Amino acid sequence: MDRSPAQQQAGSPPTAAALGISAYRAPQGLQDEMMDAEGRIRPLWQPLLAHLQDMTDEARIHALSRADQYLRDSGVFYRQYGAGQSTERAWPLSHMPVLIAEEEWHGICAALAQRADLLERVMADLYGPNRLVAEGHLPAALIAANPEWLRPMVGIQPRSGHFLHFLAFEIGRGPDGKWWVLADRTQAPSGAGFALENRVATSRAFADVYQGLNVHRLAGFFRLFRDALLNLRPDPVGRVAILTPGPLNETYYEHAWIARYLGFTLVQGEDLVVSDGRLMVRTVSGLRSVDVLWRRLDSGYADPLELNPASRIGTAGMVSALRDQGLTMVNALGSGVLETRALMAFMPKLALRLLGSELMMPNIATWWCGGAAERAQVLADPSGLVLSAALGTGLPFDRLEDPVLADRLDPDGLAAILDRQGADHVAQEVVSLSTTPALVKGRLEPRPLSLRVFLARTAQGWQAMPGGFARIGASQDPTALAMQRGGSAADVWIVSPREVAPDTLVEARAGAYARPEPGALPSRAADNLFWLGRYVERTEMIVRLLRARNMRLAESGQAAQPLLKTMDGLLGAYDVDPSAGIPQGLIAVLDSAVASAAQVRDRFSPDGWNALSDLSKSMRRMGGHLHPGDDAARAHSILLRKLAGFSGLVHENMYRFLGWRFLTIGRTLERGMGIAGILALLGDPEAPPGALDLAIELGDSILTHRRRFTVAASRETVIDLLALDPMNPRSLRNQIDGMAAQVEMLPGAARSGVLSPLARAMLRLQTDAATSQPETLDGAALLALRGDMAALSDLLTETYLR
């Protein structure tokens, strides 16, 4: 029985012959990328296959695991939908790359650049003079009934002079060896970031052969497109932002990754506001203009005022900003109309009309069934045709719902459908796609593929990413390409016969280096960083309380009942069940931290994200297997170490700018409020025996107390160490001083010597803490300080986070 690489690691590995190259055969009648019609391996593939065959089974398994490990460490995922819910799924990498010769690739790029020019002209007409409809080249009903044709955008000319800037095309090779366009992606094409991650992962798996194959690099494409977006700004200091629907979108990881990679600000609709015809982003420094917006959401959701009123992810007034030429949108709103399946039926004639030439790469044969002649043609020979929604987008099999194969319908039934609803349907050829080798359970097997090729408008014209990525079918069935249907993605290597110069994202500079200013921090990002700091610190305090409780259960049992009851009250204040090993209330607090971190993935290091995710997984794994007492206490110690690891990564690695300041303010505020509440309760003269020792333990200051004070814990020593000692990193005073240092550095904290309300409140709190004495800092005073800190949170929110 064949086994997966993971299973092979556990048992004896297969022989090298398990690659199955000698038995590899493409399905009859189909083109194969690796083998020719006579079953010979194409010269292009021979170095890679020779490298694979020369590897031992153990070395091959280890090489593939390097790619998987990279993707796991980088946190690469996409969101899978189904059964009314969505889950994060690891990026499904197909380890074998697809190889294409440079000469063939040049032909593909030229053909797609021609198609991109055609789509630009169609878009300009549909939102301009509309001659194509007026002259009968396009049916009026097909455009007017299309929800992606946005009437408010008619007559709005793009400030850049172009409607389209970034496109993707789904292409496939037919049995005759020629490439066909399967679908146009003009709305908000996804996958470019995933293509680069595929490249990094695959090149790690096959590092030796990759270096010697003269594979074209991808970084130059991103550099050219980044520069093109920057050149769209009317002012050199203007901003470029990427608009994402948010973390619940299936490709949110890519949005965050691209923003981080290109150095652009990632924003959501709620971050933006239109003012005086300009698009502005809410930042902690006030409103800042956005000159170029690369949107990654569908057009209709961009503006609830003029487009879809149900949208909660757009920005009211976006259309008016475009109308006033206050913004460049990539791609223009309304470009989704070009993805319509039915439009493909008219593209060959539109090319002749608008370009004066035939398409260099035809699209799959398509019939819009709104015309009598087209209906008759489909009815006459429905074999090999798939019936789907005329106004649908992409390949019919990309969607989770099943399309209808026309020849499987009763002829009378098909005729009835087309007579009643012909205008609602298109018939398209079911393309027999070429196959490519995929590693399946340790063997090479042919799988159908389609390529997603990306084009960007640059100063040099349309530039194609030299590779893109391939979608690999989960089976021989060509309809199983979509990743939502179990398909996978493979890297695409464009192989040159000559040495390829290395390329990077770094641009050549003239003159002396000037350090760029840090970008503005959106208020929403600051809010999430602030609450991330609070939630992580709150998690730590709850875990410390639970560990202390279980340690006393293990050591003293019911003899510690008075103190246990006090701890139960503290845990109850956090809405945590003290009797559970890993209470749901604790998991909920950490989940809130993870949710806050997910909102700022573009500002968060992969190591920090992985540490937080690992903490969450560990907490859930432990949840159902802990016994109260020593068992639970040991588990809580493990969680504390993981929390310390996460905090250390953030503290050591995060850039000391505004984002770090809000994170730090949240952490110190939560820790200060926590220690103030604990001291007010455990420092009370009526507190049960052992309360002061518990306070020192919760404050992680046992060794410090022993070194500082030679006597047993007293209220004075505990209050002095945990409340008033500025050198103790766990003390209330240290937290207040730390907050004050960060508040002082926030924008607008002082203007012309006048403190802001937040800075004034912070100074009063710092003064009160600095002038307090152990004997005067009773429970009421501690709770008053805690209340003042809570008021600071409200002031901070009002000043910066709304």
Side-chain angles (χ1 to χ4, degrees):
M1 178 184 294
D2 292 325
R3 294 175 295 172
S4 68
Q7 291 171 317
Q8 291 165 11
Q9 285 179 315
S12 58
T15 65
L19 280 172
I21 296 175
S22 60
Y24 183 94
R25 293 289 183 275
Q28 190 162 0
L30 296 185
Q31 179 98 354
D32 187 74
E33 299 298 321
M34 184 179 74
M35 285 190 172
D36 62 20
E38 284 71 39
R40 296 186 298 263
I41 296 173
R42 301 179 193 275
L44 187 69
W45 287 80
Q46 288 173 4
L48 176 60
L49 292 179
H51 173 73
L52 278 170
Q53 287 188 298
D54 288 344
M55 297 173 76
T56 65
D57 299 304
E58 182 180 0
R60 187 170 60 252
I61 292 167
H62 181 66
L64 301 184
S65 68
R66 283 199 301 268
D68 296 334
Q69 188 64 50
Y70 166 77
L71 294 173
R72 284 194 297 270
D73 290 346
S74 300
V76 184
F77 74 92
Y78 85 103
R79 190 166 292 280
Q80 178 146 6
Y81 300 98
Q85 60 182 355
S86 65
T87 57
E88 288 184 6
R89 178 187 168 190
W91 182 247
L93 176 69
S94 180
H95 296 93
M96 282 291 291
V98 176
L99 276 56
I100 299 177
E102 179 186 72
E103 183 179 0
E104 182 180 18
W105 185 253
H106 285 162
I108 291 173
C109 295
L112 294 182
Q114 180 208 38
R115 192 175 184 90
D117 285 336
L118 174 59
L119 291 172
E120 172 73 28
R121 296 193 184 191
V122 172
M123 179 84 174
D125 180 80
L126 292 179
Y127 288 98
N130 210 8
R131 293 192 185 97
L132 294 177
V133 171
E135 296 172 4
H137 301 290
L138 284 175
L142 188 61
I143 305 302
N146 196 322
E148 294 297 338
W149 183 68
L150 304 180
R151 192 177 297 275
M153 299 303 300
V154 173
I156 299 179
Q157 290 300 309
R159 188 173 68 178
S160 68
H162 297 288
F163 290 87
L164 304 176
H165 297 269
F166 191 82
L167 303 173
F169 297 96
E170 214 74 54
I171 66 174
R173 194 196 297 270
D176 58 357
K178 296 179 180 179
W179 291 96
W180 297 75
V181 174
L182 309 178
D184 300 306
R185 307 280 185 176
T186 57
Q187 174 78 270
S190 63
F194 289 124
L196 192 50
E197 291 285 41
N198 284 346
R199 171 60 54 86
V200 176
T202 306
S203 63
R204 290 195 179 190
F206 304 115
D208 295 336
V209 69
Y210 175 77
Q211 295 299 327
L213 268 183
N214 299 328
V215 179
H216 282 270
R217 307 308 197 254
L218 304 183
F221 170 82
F222 287 97
R223 187 188 69 252
L224 289 171
F225 185 52
R226 179 197 62 190
D227 293 347
L229 292 180
L230 292 173
N231 289 336
L232 291 174
R233 302 171 299 172
D235 189 322
V237 297
R239 278 178 190 79
V240 178
I242 298 177
L243 176 62
T244 175
L248 294 182
N249 183 263
E250 63 180 345
T251 56
Y252 173 73
Y253 168 85
E254 184 196 27
H255 306 165
W257 190 93
I258 287 276
R260 186 165 55 232
Y261 184 64
L262 298 182
F264 296 151
T265 301
L266 186 68
V267 297
Q268 296 182 29
E270 63 185 279
D271 295 327
L272 304 171
V273 63
V274 174
S275 176
D276 295 328
R278 298 291 304 276
L279 185 67
M280 316 292 283
V281 57
R282 297 183 178 92
T283 78
V284 296
S285 304
L287 294 178
R288 296 291 184 267
S289 64
V290 174
D291 294 300
V292 180
L293 190 66
W294 182 8
R295 67 177 175 87
R296 302 302 300 271
L297 52 75
D298 289 351
S299 299
Y301 293 101
D303 186 347
L305 189 63
E306 295 199 53
L307 300 177
N308 184 350
S311 173
R312 296 294 180 268
I313 57 177
T315 304
M318 187 85 77
V319 172
S320 70
L322 293 168
R323 191 177 288 120
D324 293 340
Q325 301 286 294
L327 171 70
T328 295
M329 181 75 79
V330 176
N331 288 327
L333 295 180
S335 56
V337 68
L338 300 175
E339 296 186 355
T340 307
R341 289 192 200 115
L343 199 61
M344 298 185 80
F346 302 90
M347 294 300 280
K349 290 184 178 179
L350 292 178
L352 293 173
R353 167 72 175 78
L354 297 175
L355 302 179
S357 61
E358 294 184 347
L359 288 171
M360 298 167 63
M361 184 186 296
N363 50 245
I364 53 174
T366 304
W367 293 266
W368 177 57
C369 299
E374 288 79 4
R375 288 196 299 272
Q377 191 170 353
V378 172
L379 287 170
D381 185 11
S383 61
L385 299 182
V386 60
L387 206 62
S388 63
L391 301 183
T393 60
L395 289 170
F397 299 102
D398 280 351
R399 309 301 175 188
L400 291 179
E401 61 270 14
D402 292 324
V404 178
L405 294 172
D407 55 2
R408 294 185 183 177
L409 290 173
D410 175 83
D412 293 335
L414 177 61
I417 291 174
L418 296 185
D419 284 343
R420 292 195 309 268
Q421 301 170 309
D424 297 335
H425 291 85
V426 291
Q428 291 182 299
E429 276 188 310
V430 178
V431 181
S432 298
L433 296 172
S434 65
T435 56
T436 191
L439 276 167
V440 181
K441 298 181 179 179
R443 296 171 61 90
L444 288 178
E445 294 187 8
R447 289 286 186 267
L449 85 150
S450 69
L451 297 187
R452 183 170 297 183
V453 185
F454 300 92
L455 267 66
R457 187 186 295 279
T458 72
Q460 294 78 35
W462 288 108
Q463 296 289 323
M465 180 191 292
F469 74 78
R471 297 198 300 171
I472 308 298
S475 66
Q476 299 286 358
D477 183 358
T479 68
L481 287 170
M483 284 180 285
Q484 296 286 350
R485 291 176 173 266
S488 55
D491 191 16
V492 179
W493 292 3
I494 308 304
V495 181
S496 173
R498 298 165 294 278
E499 185 175 353
V500 175
D503 208 345
T504 70
L505 200 65
V506 179
E507 60 182 332
R509 292 182 178 274
Y513 172 78
R515 179 183 298 152
E517 290 290 325
L521 179 67
S523 298
R524 178 190 52 81
D527 186 43
N528 280 288
L529 288 165
F530 171 71
W531 280 101
L532 173 62
R534 291 198 64 173
Y535 285 131
V536 169
E537 192 63 35
R538 190 176 300 178
T539 300
E540 181 178 337
M541 181 56 73
I542 294 171
V543 172
R544 287 187 180 279
L545 275 164
L546 288 167
R547 183 177 70 165
R549 185 182 189 279
N550 281 284
M551 287 175 64
R552 280 155 182 78
L553 269 178
E555 294 168 1
S556 306
Q558 294 305 312
Q561 187 61 37
L563 192 57
L564 292 175
K565 186 175 180 181
T566 300
M567 281 188 278
D568 290 351
L570 286 168
L571 288 165
Y574 289 111
D575 197 24
V576 169
D577 177 9
S579 64
I582 304 293
Q584 284 300 314
L586 171 61
I587 293 175
V589 173
L590 185 59
D591 284 347
S592 296
V594 172
S596 295
Q599 293 279 349
V600 287
R601 283 289 290 269
D602 58 314
R603 299 173 182 273
F604 221 64
S605 75
D607 286 337
W609 174 260
N610 288 336
L612 193 61
S613 298
D614 177 63
L615 178 63
S616 178
K617 292 174 184 174
S618 297
M619 193 175 285
R620 282 177 159 79
R621 280 197 305 268
M622 294 173 178
H625 307 285
L626 295 181
H627 298 289
D630 188 59
D631 186 31
R634 283 198 300 269
H636 295 137
S637 293
I638 293 172
L639 294 178
L640 283 174
R641 290 195 291 272
K642 288 180 178 288
L643 277 161
F646 168 77
S647 298
L649 279 170
V650 171
H651 180 79
E652 293 295 327
N653 298 337
M654 196 169 178
Y655 188 69
R656 298 308 199 257
F657 191 54
L658 286 172
W660 181 81
R661 299 194 192 289
F662 280 94
L663 182 72
T664 301
I665 290 172
R667 181 181 61 81
T668 52
L669 176 70
E670 188 69 29
R671 181 177 291 183
M673 291 177 64
I675 199 67
I678 284 171
L679 288 176
L681 183 63
L682 300 183
D684 190 281
E686 302 300 322
L692 293 175
D693 291 327
L694 174 61
I696 298 171
E697 181 182 336
L698 295 174
D700 199 20
S701 300
I702 294 175
L703 293 179
T704 305
H705 189 276
R706 288 175 183 169
R707 285 196 302 268
R708 291 287 315 280
F709 307 103
T710 58
V711 297
S714 67
R715 188 181 188 281
E716 288 75 15
T717 63
V718 171
I719 296 296
D720 182 50
L721 181 62
L722 294 181
L724 303 177
D725 191 339
M727 298 180 67
N728 181 7
R730 291 280 172 176
S731 74
L732 175 59
R733 170 78 183 278
N734 185 278
Q735 310 315 307
I736 292 174
D737 288 348
M739 286 176 58
Q742 301 308 323
V743 167
E744 184 181 356
M745 301 294 291
L746 294 181
R751 288 192 175 92
S752 302
V754 179
L755 297 179
S756 68
L758 174 63
R760 286 199 302 272
M762 186 74 252
L763 181 59
R764 285 194 296 269
L765 176 61
Q766 191 177 21
T767 302
D768 289 344
T771 56
S772 295
Q773 297 291 326
E775 57 271 17
T776 62
L777 200 59
D778 57 14
L782 284 163
L783 291 177
L785 288 175
R786 189 178 189 277
D788 290 342
M789 295 179 78
L792 278 177
S793 178
D794 295 337
L795 271 174
L796 183 83
T797 299
E798 183 178 336
T799 306
Y800 296 105
L801 306 182
R802 288 183 176 173

